[in-house]
Amino acid sequence: MARWAPDAALRLERAAMELFTENGYAATTVPAIAERAGLTTRTFFRHFADKRDVLFLREREFPSVVAHLLTDAPAGLGTIDLLMHGLDGAASGDLERWRDDIAARRAIIRSEPQLRERELLKSAGLADAMRDALVSNGTPAPDAALAASAASALFDLALETWLAGPPGVTLTSILHDHRLRLTRLLAPSA
Amino acid sequence: MARWAPDAALRLERAAMELFTENGYAATTVPAIAERAGLTTRTFFRHFADKRDVLFLREREFPSVVAHLLTDAPAGLGTIDLLMHGLDGAASGDLERWRDDIAARRAIIRSEPQLRERELLKSAGLADAMRDALVSNGTPAPDAALAASAASALFDLALETWLAGPPGVTLTSILHDHRLRLTRLLAPSA
DNA sequence: CACCTGATGTCACATCGTGTCATCGGCTAC
DNA sequence: GTAGCCGATGACACGATGTGACATCAGGTG
């Protein structure tokens, strides 16, 4: 038997979600989270940069996954189609199964501006990763930055729409639809 | 003579900018800022929600200014043209004059992820204000959210380009150019 | 002249987040 | 097999952040 129970980060995340749901984010202290997970405060901060970060454990690898999909994508796609392909591929793994978890996290995140702030930073990190992948694939830097920012915004709004809508509608279809609507909105009005 | 010197918030902001420039953001404590401004720590936190907020004093009213320009805009503009009109109008007041101040603030903001995080929250607040103004002007909510997010991203990237470029190029022209390039990027590739 | 208002000061305090050293199970080298 | 290293955790002290509660006092108002 190992000296320490495995998955310390996951146990901390589960404990945090429970306490946040029971008492709210602000009323939950880090020592309380650590205690429920059977660890100490110091160990919490070894796994998470700060208290907010515990809500984003699942998304840590998302930017690099998307970036890899972008660099390995089939040639010939336009910039935006490439981005849609990458986001789609990274988020496609039986998303419906996680709907409740995502909704629970989102409910907590929307309860505190601090947490929305962190979510925005994560989205910006995704946009940065996509921009860099585009640039190293030959896209001009200004175009890459513009397209990556737009794609990140599209993804966030699509995810929100997906969560608010009925089960069964795929994120892929919503993303596609949002992209088309934004295209029409941006086009010079007659 | 008034009991207290006026412009406490402005004095705190100036003191903070000086100390951040001299010693860096992380090495500057709130008591040090307050002392240089001739005030106490407690008063600092009465004017600013937290240490980061002191860097965004000048932008506090920006979202509501843009929102007002949107609701008072001439009729007949398309959604995106309306947004460009609002952003343009709100940022047009002799921006060149503030270039150095904006650049100094930006240099500090880019030195710490915490500060970029806050900047992103401010941008999101601007997007929210624009979205709400569009909605109360009759734009369908999903379109308003999409267009406002895109416009906010365009504005941020345009400001960055403006700062990096030579003096004399107007933000208006960069914004216009970025909008056209994003339109082309989003269009279905042949 | 008494009272109210509002910005500031003072003090106590909880929480956050970090630096530093100790602990000790398991793995590797020899 | 045993000596020693490695890496995750514990223990503890501490500075900094941010808030609540109450006091102070100039100027305006009745």
Side-chain angles (χ1 to χ4, degrees), chain B residues 2-188:
Chain B
R3 178 173 181 194
W4 301 285
D7 300 326
L10 279 174
R11 279 186 292 135
L12 286 165
E13 187 215 22
R14 189 163 43 236
M17 278 300 299
E18 290 171 7
L19 289 169
F20 292 164
T21 304
E22 293 170 17
N23 311 324
Y25 175 82
T28 302
T29 66
V30 173
I33 298 169
E35 189 192 8
R36 179 166 297 204
L39 294 166
T40 63
T41 301
R42 192 66 184 85
T43 296
F44 178 95
F45 286 113
R46 285 197 180 95
H47 287 277
F48 303 102
D50 53 44
K51 183 180 163 187
R52 290 177 261 169
D53 212 38
V54 75
L55 281 162
F56 301 91
L57 174 64
R58 314 300 185 94
E59 305 170 17
R60 276 189 186 164
E61 302 186 4
F62 193 71
S64 64
V65 169
V66 174
H68 265 90
L69 286 173
L70 292 186
T71 54
D72 297 349
L77 287 177
T79 305
I80 268 287
D81 295 297
L82 187 59
L83 289 168
M84 296 291 110
H85 166 83
L87 288 170
D88 221 46
S92 63
D94 194 11
L95 200 60
E96 206 70 52
R97 173 197 166 93
W98 301 100
R99 176 187 279 266
D100 290 346
D101 289 278
I102 297 172
R105 270 221 313 270
R106 200 171 191 80
I108 294 167
I109 290 172
R110 300 198 69 196
S111 75
E112 296 264 349
Q114 282 192 342
L115 298 174
R116 186 184 182 195
E117 198 176 21
R118 179 55 52 86
E119 187 180 43
L120 290 164
L121 185 63
K122 299 290 183 179
S123 291
L126 171 62
D128 290 348
M130 294 191 294
R131 179 202 56 203
D132 293 347
L134 287 178
V135 167
S136 63
N137 252 20
T139 305
D143 284 0
L146 266 177
S149 283
S152 173
L154 279 171
F155 185 75
D156 287 343
L157 288 167
L159 195 60
E160 193 172 324
T161 303
W162 177 77
L163 276 174
V169 182
T170 65
L171 180 61
T172 303
S173 65
I174 297 174
L175 196 55
H176 184 72
D177 174 68
H178 274 41
R179 175 261 177 100
L180 289 183
R181 281 197 298 114
L182 181 57
T183 303
R184 281 197 293 272
L185 284 167
L186 272 176

Side-chain angles (χ1 to χ4, degrees), chain A residues 1 3 29-31 42 45-46 50-51:
Chain A
M1 172 181 166
R3 178 172 181 195
T29 67
V30 174
R42 193 65 185 85
F45 286 113
R46 286 196 180 96
D50 52 44
K51 183 179 164 188

Side-chain angles (χ1 to χ4, degrees), chain A residues 4-84:
Chain A
W4 301 285
D7 299 327
L10 279 173
R11 278 186 292 136
L12 285 164
E13 187 215 21
R14 187 163 43 236
M17 279 299 301
E18 291 171 6
L19 290 169
F20 292 163
T21 303
E22 292 170 17
N23 311 325
Y25 174 83
T28 302
T29 67
V30 174
I33 298 169
E35 189 192 9
R36 179 167 298 204
L39 295 165
T40 63
T41 302
R42 193 65 185 85
T43 296
F44 178 94
F45 286 113
R46 286 196 180 96
H47 287 277
F48 303 102
D50 52 44
K51 183 179 164 188
R52 288 177 265 167
D53 213 38
V54 75
L55 282 162
F56 300 90
L57 173 64
R58 313 302 184 96
E59 304 171 17
R60 275 189 187 164
E61 302 186 6
F62 193 70
S64 65
V65 169
V66 175
H68 266 90
L69 286 174
L70 292 187
T71 55
D72 297 349
L77 288 177
T79 304
I80 268 289
D81 295 296
L82 186 59
L83 289 169
M84 295 293 109

Side-chain angles (χ1 to χ4, degrees), chain A residues 82-163:
Chain A
L82 186 59
L83 289 169
M84 295 293 109
H85 166 83
L87 288 171
D88 220 48
S92 63
D94 194 10
L95 200 60
E96 206 69 52
R97 174 196 166 95
W98 300 100
R99 175 186 280 266
D100 290 345
D101 289 278
I102 296 172
R105 269 221 314 269
R106 200 169 192 81
I108 295 167
I109 289 172
R110 301 199 69 196
S111 75
E112 296 265 348
Q114 283 193 343
L115 298 174
R116 187 184 181 197
E117 198 176 21
R118 179 56 51 87
E119 188 181 42
L120 291 164
L121 185 63
K122 299 290 183 181
S123 291
L126 172 62
D128 290 347
M130 293 191 294
R131 179 202 57 203
D132 294 346
L134 287 179
V135 167
S136 64
N137 251 19
T139 305
D143 284 0
L146 265 177
S149 283
S152 172
L154 279 171
F155 185 74
D156 288 343
L157 288 168
L159 195 59
E160 192 172 326
T161 303
W162 177 77
L163 275 173

